[in-house]
Amino acid sequence: MTSGGRAPGNKVGTGERLPVLGRRSDLPPRVRNLLEGLQQHAAGWFQPALARTMTEIDGSLFRMAERSGNSAEQQRRFEALRAFKQGGTSVQQRFHDHLEADLARTREPAPTPAAAAAWAPASLELVDAAVLEEDLGLREIAGKADIRNGQALHAYTHRFAVIAGSPVPSIEEVPLGPTRITEAFRHAVRDLDLDLEHRLFAYRQFDRAVMATLAPFYDRINTWLGSQRVLPNLQHPTFRRPDVAPPADDAAPPADGSRAEETAAPAPAAEQPDSELFGTLRDLLGAKRRAEGTAGAASASCTPASRDDLQSVLATLQRAPSTPAQQARYDSEHFKNTLLVKLRRASPEGRPLGLGDEDLDTVDLVGMLFDYVVRNVREGSGARSLLTRLHVPVLRVALGDKSFFTRRDHPARELLNTIAETGTHWFDESDADPDLSRKMQMVVDHVSANFDGDVGVFDHLLGDLSKHMQLLARRAEVVERRNIDAARGRDRLEIAREAARAAVIRILQATIPAPRVRSLLEQAWTDALALSALREGPEGSEFKRRVEIAENIARRGVAPLADTPDDEAVRQELEGGLRQVGLHGDDVRGLVDNLFTRAPTPAATAQLQRIDEALKDKPRLGGEAAPITPPRAAPAPLTPAETEMLQQLKRTPFGTWFEFVRNQQGDTVRRKLAWFSPVTGHCLFVNQRGARVDDHTLEQVARDMARGQIRPVVMEQGSLIDRAWKAIVGLLRAPGEAAQAGAGARP
């Protein structure tokens, strides 16, 4: 099975040489010249178109990275951008090589059975979740191009049949057709280091820049082939493609074949990818039922209800009020049984109604989707009740529009995903935004009351909810930025205060100053030192000068300041520093004048007492500070496991989400690591709204991580609905795989 979501048919290894036209010496000269001409037209057309694609990918990824909600997501965007930049040249070369290889296989000898098996698509790969998604995206792109260029492709396939000397190929198989062009781009980006999300993103950009502009290319090659006498008189029919066409030759266009073909009307190509994926899901679901022995049990004795009857019953269920207890006990099987009972009650006498096979499969698949989504929301939360109320409207959409299963941008699918993910991460916490709760409630109420088949209701509400979410995200970003700035400021202040405290402790341990001097150094002068360290750092000249002043007055004893130049410098520095930390000018002068006096006058004594009280009541720089004492004993050393967690934590990028276990029942709450200081070890964790939560240090978090109380959140790729479908495909495949394993074990 291929990895990374690559195409089943794209099995050319990196080291395998693709066929080239220059080595096809067995081709007739005219055929070879025509193929080389097609190659030259393709190279001239696709080279600038592919360059536009790569430019748009680079620009879009850069903008997406700048708007990323967290650093982990931003890093993924930049890694994808780097991969495209590094592989840009090889992408274009590999794309053109693949197109040439398709042309070079024209009139190729029939492959051996082993070679045919190597190139044949593997059916099992179609149900691999990643392959299924990538195939679906490319089929949708090619299908739209088929529709847009139907007439030109009809002419081109007939003309290419002349070149190949074969029956008219299907549009999916013809070289330079939309399907083969998308396969060439898949081959071109195959070796880039991209996850599935960014690979699919590249396909969408390729669709806009290349596939949507193919009409002039097909007109050009049709005109050129006509000028080369390849069916020059071929008339374009008025339909998209033939189902059956007679073999063409190089002499003349089919005389009557075109007219006969006009009676064939194939199914629209736009529905083909949707029906294929839905058919795959139905096949898997049927295999699962057969393995469980439940196939056909639900509706064997009932007449399938018409789509109108089914929609009518579902509309009644949609508008019926449900109790909180019913919403809390959500179960898709219980819902299906309720629906079947309602259908039987609505049946005319003697004709019990049930679900047809396709409708039953749709009900089961949507039920499995909601089972998965609801399980991902905390039990008892308000978001769970909102999701259960969306079950019926979403089911009604899926019954009438199978693109719900295939289109990532389907309005009903996007609205369901937005409410599910918003409810999971925003709606369940005690500090959730009440405006968001009301908005989500309003959206679900509106869907329940007003949806009656018009998917535009979902589209309108999705736009409204998305705008509200963008507003909340911007508001949270502003709040988070303010909290980060405040945390950095507190950290710088603490570093400065610690440097000041350390300097004063060293001085006090080396001297025995007078009590008033000691009090001054421990309080006001420590703040003055911290202020200097905050402005210039502990290595700044002002901080060093004030440390020298502290050493001077601590050693001075009872000698008062004199009129010498040195003492005058001490006086000025003392007065300047004390004023900066908030002491009144008169108090500063009185304190400095009487700082070393053993027997001050009564007036001076009264002034000093008042100054002492003022110093005691004066707010400290940055709030209350711990008393100047020798540092306490260090905490217990970290264990090896805690040390490993600490090192891992220090390498964790800002913006990483963590789960905190908050009670013995194992309930968790999500917090984002917005910032940490590698110097002090302080961490800032914020909630979804950007608000600061509990204070932590790196060591505390590392200890809790080692005990399993805190763990990083694994950011899963893709939306919740996409992950749900992957899980459902895996669940449906399980019985078949088990059966195959059992069959292989038998002799």
Side-chain angles (χ1 to χ4, degrees), residues 36-170:
E36 288 176 346
L38 287 175
Q39 179 196 359
Q40 292 169 4
H41 277 83
W45 178 268
F46 287 110
Q47 185 171 356
L50 203 59
R52 288 197 306 272
T53 301
M54 302 304 291
T55 300
E56 290 184 10
I57 288 174
D58 288 351
S60 298
L61 277 176
F62 185 79
R63 290 190 295 271
M64 290 163 62
E66 286 188 320
R67 296 195 301 266
S68 297
N70 56 67
S71 59
E73 180 181 346
Q74 185 180 64
Q75 184 176 354
R76 286 198 307 109
R77 305 290 192 207
F78 280 128
E79 287 175 355
L81 179 61
R82 190 179 306 112
F84 278 112
K85 285 184 176 296
Q86 292 175 349
T89 303
S90 64
V91 165
Q92 298 203 34
Q93 185 60 50
R94 288 169 61 82
F95 177 82
H96 292 295
D97 289 348
H98 194 282
L99 292 183
E100 181 183 359
D102 277 346
L103 293 168
R105 294 190 184 98
T106 303
R107 298 197 183 191
E108 200 172 39
T112 64
W119 278 94
S123 60
L124 286 179
E125 289 181 318
L126 290 177
V127 297
D128 179 83
V131 173
L132 196 63
E133 288 193 68
E134 194 167 345
D135 282 348
L136 174 63
L138 290 174
R139 287 176 187 171
E140 183 178 357
I141 292 170
K144 290 187 296 185
D146 286 356
I147 296 171
R148 286 192 294 261
N149 305 285
Q151 292 186 357
L153 284 169
H154 168 81
Y156 171 63
T157 54
H158 280 72
R159 288 187 166 109
F160 193 85
V162 172
I163 299 172
S166 67
V168 178
S170 68

Side-chain angles (χ1 to χ4, degrees), residues 631-648:
R632 298 178 181 178
L638 298 176
T639 65
E642 292 169 346
T643 301
E644 181 180 352
M645 288 297 179
L646 179 61
Q647 296 305 316
Q648 176 183 334

Side-chain angles (χ1 to χ4, degrees), residues 68 127 149 196 205 275 294 327 460 490 539 542 552 609 616 634 647 690 697 709 721:
S68 297
V127 297
N149 305 285
L196 180 61
Q205 297 297 319
S275 60
T294 59
Q327 296 169 0
H460 170 72
R490 289 191 299 270
E539 302 302 322
E542 184 180 84
N552 185 308
Q609 289 176 348
K616 188 182 300 182
Q647 296 305 316
T697 65
Q709 297 300 300
I721 303 302

Side-chain angles (χ1 to χ4, degrees), residues 666-710:
D667 293 335
T668 60
V669 64
R670 288 165 59 102
R671 301 293 187 229
K672 181 165 71 171
L673 178 62
W675 172 85
F676 65 78
S677 168
V679 179
T680 64
H682 287 166
C683 304
L684 172 64
F685 283 92
V686 298
N687 61 15
Q688 287 281 357
R689 294 196 293 164
R692 175 187 175 191
V693 290
D694 302 334
D695 291 327
H696 297 275
T697 65
L698 289 175
E699 287 197 0
Q700 290 171 348
V701 174
R703 294 180 193 272
D704 287 339
M705 288 177 68
R707 294 199 304 270
Q709 297 300 300
I710 300 177

Side-chain angles (χ1 to χ4, degrees), residues 226-425:
S227 69
Q228 298 297 312
R229 296 179 293 108
V230 180
L231 303 186
N233 301 315
L234 179 64
Q235 298 296 317
H236 292 178
T238 58
F239 62 92
R240 174 180 167 268
R241 56 178 287 188
D243 279 345
V244 179
D249 54 43
D250 198 12
D256 301 324
S258 297
R259 198 162 188 80
E261 291 160 5
E262 293 180 9
T263 60
E271 296 179 1
Q272 186 175 3
D274 301 334
S275 60
E276 284 183 1
L277 175 62
F278 184 61
T280 300
L281 292 172
R282 291 190 65 196
D283 291 343
L284 292 172
L285 186 59
K288 181 175 183 291
R289 290 194 187 118
R290 289 191 294 273
E292 296 173 348
T294 59
S299 57
S301 60
C302 298
T303 301
S306 68
R307 189 58 54 82
D308 289 343
D309 288 339
L310 182 54
Q311 289 284 0
S312 177
V313 171
L314 287 172
T316 303
L317 285 173
Q318 175 181 312
R319 293 175 177 84
S322 58
T323 65
Q326 290 174 325
Q327 296 169 0
R329 294 194 305 269
Y330 171 80
D331 179 13
S332 63
E333 192 65 29
H334 175 74
F335 168 79
K336 184 173 75 171
N337 292 334
T338 302
L339 175 60
L340 292 172
V341 170
K342 295 286 186 183
L343 281 172
R344 292 190 185 99
R345 290 178 180 174
S347 305
E349 280 191 31
R351 194 172 65 90
L353 293 180
L355 292 170
D357 291 341
E358 181 176 313
D359 291 341
L360 178 62
D361 291 345
T362 303
V363 168
D364 283 344
L365 288 170
V366 173
M368 295 173 74
L369 172 65
F370 272 82
D371 282 338
Y372 182 94
V373 171
V374 170
R375 279 198 306 270
N376 277 269
V377 179
R378 185 176 291 112
E379 187 175 355
S381 72
R384 175 173 282 200
S385 64
L386 293 178
L387 287 170
T388 58
R389 292 176 57 199
L390 286 174
H391 186 167
V392 177
V394 168
L395 174 59
R396 295 181 67 191
V397 170
L399 285 166
D401 182 6
K402 294 304 181 287
S403 68
F404 171 80
F405 295 95
T406 61
R407 281 181 52 200
R408 276 195 174 87
D409 60 347
H410 193 286
R413 182 166 166 167
E414 283 198 328
L415 182 65
L416 175 62
N417 185 75
T418 300
I419 291 182
E421 293 192 338
T422 302
T424 300
H425 304 319

Side-chain angles (χ1 to χ4, degrees), residues 371-502:
D371 282 338
Y372 182 94
V373 171
V374 170
R375 279 198 306 270
N376 277 269
V377 179
R378 185 176 291 112
E379 187 175 355
S381 72
R384 175 173 282 200
S385 64
L386 293 178
L387 287 170
T388 58
R389 292 176 57 199
L390 286 174
H391 186 167
V392 177
V394 168
L395 174 59
R396 295 181 67 191
V397 170
L399 285 166
D401 182 6
K402 294 304 181 287
S403 68
F404 171 80
F405 295 95
T406 61
R407 281 181 52 200
R408 276 195 174 87
D409 60 347
H410 193 286
R413 182 166 166 167
E414 283 198 328
L415 182 65
L416 175 62
N417 185 75
T418 300
I419 291 182
E421 293 192 338
T422 302
T424 300
H425 304 319
W426 283 75
F427 201 58
D428 293 333
E429 300 181 6
S430 58
D431 54 357
D433 192 327
D435 290 342
L436 177 60
S437 303
R438 287 191 290 270
K439 173 63 73 173
M440 290 177 63
Q441 185 75 43
M442 182 208 72
V443 167
V444 175
D445 288 345
H446 193 89
V447 170
S448 298
N450 298 303
F451 174 70
D452 198 17
D454 181 11
V455 182
V457 171
F458 288 90
D459 205 7
H460 170 72
L461 292 174
L462 176 63
D464 189 30
L465 183 58
S466 297
K467 289 179 182 177
H468 189 80
M469 293 298 299
Q470 290 170 5
L471 177 63
L472 289 179
R474 288 195 296 269
R475 188 185 303 166
E477 184 178 352
V478 171
V479 173
E480 180 181 334
R481 175 53 53 193
R482 289 174 180 170
N483 280 314
I484 291 174
D485 292 342
R488 284 175 171 159
R490 289 191 299 270
D491 197 66
R492 290 180 58 237
L493 177 59
E494 180 165 338
I495 293 172
R497 285 171 58 170
E498 188 58 36
R501 282 165 46 83

